[in-house]
Amino acid sequence: MHGIVFDIQKFSVNDGPGVRTAVFLKGCQMKCVWCHNPESLSVKPQLSFSKDKCVGCRECEKVCPKGVHSFDEQGTHNVNFEDCDACGLCVDACIHNALKVYGKEQSVDDVFAEVMKDKIYFDKSGGGVTLSGGEALKQFDFSLALAKKCKENGLHVCIETNGASKPDHYRQIAPYVDLFLFDYKATGEKTHKELTGLSRDFVQQNLALLNEIDAQVILRCPIIPGYNLSEEHLAAIAELSCSMPNIQKVEVLPYHNFGKGKAEEIGREYAVDAEVPEGEQIAAWLDKIKSYGSIKVTLT
């Protein structure tokens, strides 16, 4: 069994309890306008170009069989991302690390072996492995096999999910997952569809399903000023956290603009125009959610 992995992050402390190793898988059903990991949206490997590191040596242009790289009269490096098949020849030729490929095919055994290198830290901290993305369940068969192998070997398993996978996928994988980190992105069907591309009702049904089967959940709520920040949304977060006993707590994820640079490097448009919130603003959000009745809300 193989999957397309674009990162394995060691010593993660924001993706579940304890010290964790986070495995990031390519592919996502949603197209959130503020996406923090735009390099994860496509399941396929893809090229990334950092123009700040390019010195114009043109070695990439020489080796590319598809003419993806070109230089104008001013020496500006242009990349035709649409024609690139991520063969990696240009990456090997670039000694200045201006090019890289996001996404590598790896087997369940290979990823598991990498995760197990950190087991001593898991045991000491109560941590484990977190499958993330993109959307980990977009590559369902791989995630199921990896979660099962980790669980059978005594590891604590988290899955970060946008809630948009098939209900049967959640039912099948739940026995091998200790904790779902479930994203709640927007309130209201119209707003949710505008911001993510998918129906909120489908996500709500899967959240209810996890409650029905008593799967443990942390509700993770990205807050983007000017997009999903509203009294209605903060109230809905509190209501959800109180209405489902399987929800351990709410984690608020304030907007950051790390996705902007990564989007530019893969030739993707980044349309969000929002300010990164200050500490006082974030504290006010937490207080507001608590005022609506939620007593288990924290900042991540």
Side-chain angles (χ1 to χ4, degrees):
M1 177 67 64
H2 290 76
I4 306 298
V5 178
F6 74 91
D7 194 15
I8 297 180
Q9 183 176 314
K10 305 280 190 166
F11 300 103
S12 174
V13 294
N14 293 315
D15 295 302
V19 174
R20 312 192 70 80
T21 294
V23 179
F24 292 87
L25 303 178
K26 291 270 283 172
C28 188
Q29 309 95 327
M30 290 188 178
K31 299 295 181 286
C32 301
V33 296
W34 61 77
C35 183
H36 295 158
N37 292 326
E39 74 277 24
S40 73
L41 295 178
S42 171
V43 176
K44 298 179 180 179
Q46 61 194 126
L47 182 68
S48 170
F49 168 56
S50 177
K51 62 181 179 181
D52 293 339
K53 295 180 180 179
C54 179
V55 299
C57 69
R58 306 183 72 149
E59 291 301 316
C60 55
E61 184 182 34
K62 295 176 185 177
V63 300
C64 179
K66 295 203 168 183
V68 167
H69 302 276
S70 63
F71 293 77
D72 61 23
E73 293 180 356
Q74 288 73 40
T76 301
H77 186 169
N78 300 300
V79 181
N80 183 352
F81 291 98
E82 292 185 2
D83 287 348
C84 179
D85 62 5
C87 69
L89 290 175
C90 62
V91 177
D92 294 337
C94 180
I95 64 172
H96 300 285
N97 298 317
L99 297 163
K100 65 180 176 181
V101 170
Y102 282 115
K104 178 183 178 182
E105 184 175 296
Q106 293 185 259
S107 71
V108 168
D109 289 341
D110 288 341
V111 175
F112 175 73
E114 189 64 28
V115 168
M116 285 298 286
K117 292 177 182 179
D118 299 325
K119 189 173 186 300
I120 185 173
Y121 303 107
F122 305 155
D123 293 342
K124 288 183 177 180
S125 68
V129 62
T130 297
L131 307 188
S132 187
E135 168 56 47
L137 298 187
K138 180 74 172 177
Q139 297 187 53
F140 175 71
D141 291 337
F142 181 81
S143 289
L144 177 61
L146 180 57
K148 185 174 182 180
K149 189 172 184 69
C150 289
K151 200 71 208 142
E152 288 173 344
N153 284 272
L155 298 186
H156 184 280
V157 177
C158 288
I159 286 187
E160 185 173 9
T161 179
N162 60 23
S165 292
K166 296 177 182 178
D168 189 52
H169 286 174
Y170 291 101
R171 288 187 182 276
Q172 287 186 58
I173 205 168
Y176 311 106
V177 179
D178 296 283
L179 182 63
F180 287 89
L181 308 177
F182 194 104
D183 290 348
Y184 181 68
K185 298 176 185 287
T187 297
E189 174 66 10
K190 182 175 182 292
T191 301
H192 195 281
K193 198 159 189 178
E194 287 176 349
L195 295 178
T196 72
L198 291 181
S199 169
R200 176 187 179 276
D201 289 342
F202 190 54
V203 174
Q204 186 71 22
Q205 290 169 13
N206 282 326
L207 185 58
L209 169 63
L210 292 180
N211 181 58
E212 175 190 325
I213 63 178
D214 197 30
Q216 295 304 295
V217 167
I218 289 178
L219 200 65
R220 307 191 95 190
C221 305
I223 303 294
I224 321 300
Y227 291 84
N228 67 352
L229 176 58
S230 67
E231 291 280 340
E232 178 189 17
H233 186 48
L234 298 180
I237 290 170
E239 181 182 353
L240 272 177
S241 71
C242 296
S243 66
M244 297 186 181
N246 68 319
I247 296 178
Q248 294 183 357
K249 63 176 179 177
V250 171
E251 291 183 348
V252 170
L253 286 69
Y255 171 70
H256 62 70
N257 58 10
F258 298 161
K260 182 177 181 179
K262 292 190 287 185
E264 292 174 352
E265 290 178 355
I266 60 172
R268 183 179 178 86
E269 182 181 359
Y270 187 86
V272 168
D273 182 19
E275 292 186 4
V276 176
E278 302 290 340
E280 290 184 2
Q281 294 172 277
I282 298 167
W285 302 341
L286 299 180
D287 289 342
K288 180 62 71 172
I289 295 171
K290 291 175 183 177
S291 76
Y292 286 118
S294 178
I295 60 174
K296 44 187 179 181
V297 56
T298 62
L299 179 66
T300 295

